[in-house]
Amino acid sequence: MKGLLIKDFRLFKGQKTFFAVLIAVAAGMALFTEETMFPIGFLSLVSSMFSLSSISYDELDNGNAFLFSLPISRAGYTAEKYCFGLLMGGGAWAAATLFVLGVNVYKQAAQPMELLLSSLMFLPLVLLLPALVLPFDLKFGSERGRIADLGALGLLVLIGVLAVKGAKAAGIDLAAVLDSLPPLHMGFLIAAALAVSLVLWLLSLRISISIVKKKEF
């Protein structure tokens, strides 16, 4: 897996200009606007999806056939894609959180603990988004998989919208409920979301390993 990770990080170097633009946009919003959460969520979620780009590179010019002629297993290859997405997303989340914390301390804006708790809410998504889309890309390929990815993400957004509208129809303001939770309760809620996300991430990994083992290259 180490060799595959090195390969993907070297491929990532080829997209450093694109990533520099993302960092500049996120840093600009943190410095010059009142938005504190967007830069963290934006960078961490976009970075966690870079594993999809690495799949596209692997498929280029029948590269998978060459890759699997090397001493790597299909299970190891699949696990590396999940770990690469987690490292990219988690690393971007940590860097963005530290940067935004520093900016907010300088501006004397949000309290550091409140900001940290809010940023932790993005970690379950760093696990969930790759877990949702990677099986489709590994099953159908990067091109056809994009259509399935959009459908899956659209379904996820639809479920979220329906949940919010359902709560509103029942007279429940979810944003107000979350804001009113004490830090300890919020911490338990985030921990529970992380635990559920980790279980789904592992389940998705198992499904993807089964897909890649059956796939012909």
Side-chain angles (χ1 to χ4, degrees):
M1 185 185 292
K2 180 181 176 181
L4 291 171
L5 282 171
I6 292 172
K7 171 189 72 69
D8 282 346
F9 277 114
R10 286 185 180 274
L11 288 173
F12 167 71
K13 277 186 175 182
Q15 303 184 53
K16 57 180 178 293
T17 303
F18 172 70
F19 200 65
V21 172
L22 296 182
I23 293 174
V25 171
M29 293 201 70
L31 288 168
F32 304 114
T33 73
E34 297 303 317
E35 293 288 340
T36 54
M37 290 297 100
F38 178 81
I40 298 173
F42 176 66
L43 275 182
S44 57
L45 297 182
V46 170
S47 299
S48 69
M49 303 299 281
F50 267 91
S51 52
L52 302 182
S53 298
S54 69
I55 292 175
S56 300
Y57 279 112
D58 291 344
E59 291 177 347
L60 191 65
D61 295 328
N62 203 27
N64 278 320
F66 170 74
L67 270 177
F68 290 115
S69 68
L70 301 174
I72 60 172
S73 67
R74 296 193 177 208
Y77 171 84
T78 310
E80 185 272 338
K81 294 302 177 193
Y82 279 74
C83 290
F84 179 64
L86 186 58
L87 287 171
M88 288 293 296
W93 173 85
T97 299
L98 287 174
F99 179 76
V100 172
L101 276 171
V103 170
N104 274 264
V105 169
Y106 175 75
K107 289 182 176 180
Q108 297 182 344
Q111 293 296 320
M113 184 56 66
E114 179 185 337
L115 181 61
L116 182 59
L117 279 174
S118 298
S119 71
L120 284 170
M121 295 173 67
F122 289 108
L123 280 181
L125 292 177
V126 169
L127 287 168
L128 278 177
L129 278 183
L132 183 65
V133 299
L134 276 172
F136 291 107
D137 277 56
L138 292 169
K139 173 70 175 177
F140 300 109
S142 59
E143 294 303 322
R144 289 185 297 166
R146 294 290 186 273
I147 300 172
D149 293 345
L150 289 173
L153 291 172
L155 179 61
L156 186 64
V157 170
L158 179 62
I159 291 171
V161 170
L162 290 175
V164 171
K165 286 188 176 294
K168 190 174 181 180
I172 301 171
D173 187 342
L174 291 178
V177 170
L178 290 175
D179 287 340
S180 65
L181 285 176
L184 184 60
H185 290 180
M186 180 63 78
F188 281 130
L189 184 62
I190 294 170
L194 271 172
V196 172
S197 299
L198 180 59
V199 170
L200 293 174
W201 188 85
L202 292 171
L203 178 62
S204 174
L205 173 59
R206 185 169 181 176
I207 291 170
S208 292
I209 289 173
S210 176
I211 287 170
V212 175
K213 281 184 176 179
K214 295 175 183 177
K215 193 171 182 179
E216 294 183 5
F217 297 103

